[in-house]
Amino acid sequence: MDFTFTEEQQAAVEAAKAVFSRVTPDGVPSPALTPGAVADEFDRPLWAALAEADLLSLVLSPEYGGAGLDALALCLVLRESAKVLARVPLLETSAVAMAVERYGAPELRDEILPRVGRGELMLTVGAHGRTGHDPAELAVVARPDAEHGAWVLDGVQTAVPWAHSADLIAVPAHLGEGRAVLALVPRDQEGVSHAEQISTSGERFAEVSLDAVRIDGHRLIDTEGAWEWLHRLLTTGTCALALGLGEKVLAMTSEYTGKREQFGFPVATFQAVAVQTADRYIDLRAMEATLWQAAWRLTPARGSAGVGGPLPVAADIAVAKIWAADGVRRTVQTAQHLHGGFGADTDYALHRYHAWAKQLELSLGPAAAHEEALGDLLAAHPLG
């Protein structure tokens, strides 16, 4: 079988590398030395550069000014962004835009998608629920207001990334009958309030409260499966970020151990060091294989449900997240160990990658949560 990426996907990677080559991981204060957020908002100049390079419209259809690429292309770009700890809502904006195009009303698509591609509109999503581990769709209740053709939302979403800067927040909600819907809420809508939260990586998150928030009917997506599809894409994108970060950290470790000498020899030549780095290389290759499997399962022809397989797509995504969460943690821990005291030096970037890795490990559920989900899927869909 041919596993090479298409010319369009490879071109997206080259464009991403060119843009992200201008970014340095220490462009903001260290989270280890900053009591609050490392910055008030995301990297606006980088966001403009991504728009100029047509990377914000990468996954949109040509009718909305995009290139019509897929989840695989998005994950390839996310992988490059994590190598430099790019502080932009690329995953959240792209994933929500893809969900809007796939499931949203024509009026909503026309209103949002062209502006997203031009970098004029930034989107985020509340995907963590009330506690970070509860199903996010249970944190908010949506009820129809038939008289005004609107919907009313009540509830709380925690740890919403970039919420203070977003133009629209995608909020999953339930109708009280077990079905999830997805509402796009303006950040400054009446009844919306934000309480500042700081992520492990030092970024400014928010607890978003909705008190009788009223939105127009076309801004609520009630198509069956819309929220589930978006959540799976967010999880897969998080795995891509973990892979890119892990690859960069292993490269930093290889470079350092190749130069650091003990007893007149580079420490990279010692068997104990070589075995540990080899183990981490195996972790990264497993993270990569399971990531592309999950992204491929999410990449059907437009309008179809998805690529088939012996298990539901959720199983492949659970496997990818298990490897990503455990693999990125092991990689940064090994890097810290092999760097010795230098790994804790706040003038060196490794401690920043460690903080981001911990954030990614727990984002959208730690490995244990996905192991439980995978077990349930295997029980419900026995193989063979």
Side-chain angles (χ1 to χ4, degrees):
M1 296 180 67
D2 185 1
F3 291 103
T4 57
F5 295 107
T6 66
E7 290 184 6
E8 292 84 0
Q9 291 165 344
Q10 293 173 8
V13 172
E14 293 306 314
K17 287 181 177 179
V19 173
F20 293 128
S21 66
R22 315 167 202 170
V23 180
T24 57
D26 54 359
V28 293
S30 165
L33 303 175
T34 309
V38 296
D40 289 336
E41 63 172 1
F42 64 95
D43 189 340
R44 292 277 184 182
L46 177 57
W47 193 249
L50 290 169
E52 186 178 356
D54 295 327
L55 290 172
L56 298 184
S57 60
L58 191 71
V59 293
L60 301 179
S61 294
E63 64 185 290
Y64 301 111
L69 297 187
D70 49 36
L72 282 164
L74 174 61
C75 287
L76 285 166
V77 174
L78 290 170
R79 179 189 194 180
E80 298 303 317
S81 75
K83 294 178 182 179
V84 296
L85 304 184
R87 301 179 49 260
V88 287
L90 181 60
L91 169 58
E92 294 82 6
T93 295
S94 299
V96 174
M98 291 174 75
V100 168
E101 179 169 351
R102 180 177 290 271
Y103 296 103
E107 183 181 357
L108 183 63
R109 297 198 297 265
D110 293 340
E111 175 187 338
I112 290 177
L113 298 182
R115 295 182 62 198
V116 167
R118 295 193 297 266
E120 299 170 1
L121 207 61
M122 195 276 270
L123 313 176
T124 190
V125 54
H128 298 282
R130 289 183 62 91
T131 68
H133 298 287
D134 294 333
E137 65 272 19
L138 301 182
V140 176
V141 178
R143 62 182 190 275
D145 180 359
E147 182 180 351
H148 298 93
W151 290 82
V152 180
L153 307 173
D154 289 281
V156 177
Q157 288 285 1
T158 193
V160 181
W162 322 105
H164 294 280
S165 303
D167 297 293
L168 292 170
I169 303 172
V171 178
H174 69 95
L175 302 178
E177 56 189 42
R179 189 161 64 90
V181 296
L182 188 64
L184 270 72
V185 181
R187 179 192 69 236
D188 55 358
Q189 182 81 4
E190 183 179 357
V192 177
S193 60
H194 307 79
E196 186 175 71
Q197 297 175 316
I198 308 300
S199 73
T200 303
S201 55
E203 299 300 338
R204 194 180 184 206
F205 283 17
E207 181 179 83
V208 178
S209 299
L210 302 101
D211 183 9
V213 174
R214 190 181 303 274
I215 63 168
D216 294 337
H218 75 281
R219 288 200 171 183
L220 186 134
I221 301 173
D222 62 354
T223 307
E224 187 74 31
W227 162 241
E228 290 77 8
W229 186 87
L230 173 56
H231 190 268
R232 290 167 185 164
L233 179 58
L234 289 167
T235 304
T236 305
T238 301
C239 296
L241 292 171
L243 174 62
L245 187 150
E247 288 176 330
K248 176 62 177 180
V249 166
L250 186 61
M252 292 169 66
T253 305
S254 298
E255 181 180 5
Y256 177 78
T257 56
K259 295 178 179 178
R260 178 76 167 90
E261 291 189 359
Q262 283 281 11
F263 312 112
F265 297 95
V267 298
T269 62
F270 299 167
Q271 186 178 30
V273 173
V275 167
Q276 290 183 70
T277 53
D279 285 342
R280 299 296 77 81
Y281 177 82
I282 292 170
D283 275 339
L284 290 172
R285 297 290 67 80
M287 289 166 64
E288 184 176 19
T290 53
L291 165 65
W292 300 136
Q293 171 72 8
W296 174 70
R297 291 291 305 275
L298 281 173
T299 308
R302 291 182 180 268
S304 64
V307 175
L311 289 173
V313 62
D316 291 291
I317 294 170
V319 171
K321 188 59 168 66
I322 291 166
W323 273 104
D326 282 344
V328 76
R329 172 177 47 79
R330 287 192 292 258
T331 300
V332 294
Q333 286 176 344
T334 297
Q336 290 283 15
H337 174 64
L338 297 181
H339 275 82
F342 198 51
D345 187 345
T346 55
D347 290 329
Y348 184 59
L350 182 58
H351 77 286
R352 296 175 182 268
Y353 284 91
H354 200 156
W356 277 65
K358 179 55 67 175
Q359 181 69 40
L360 291 173
E361 176 193 351
L362 300 177
S363 179
L364 300 177
H370 289 272
E371 289 168 353
E372 182 178 353
L374 179 60
D376 291 341
L377 286 166
L378 287 170
H381 302 82
L383 299 176

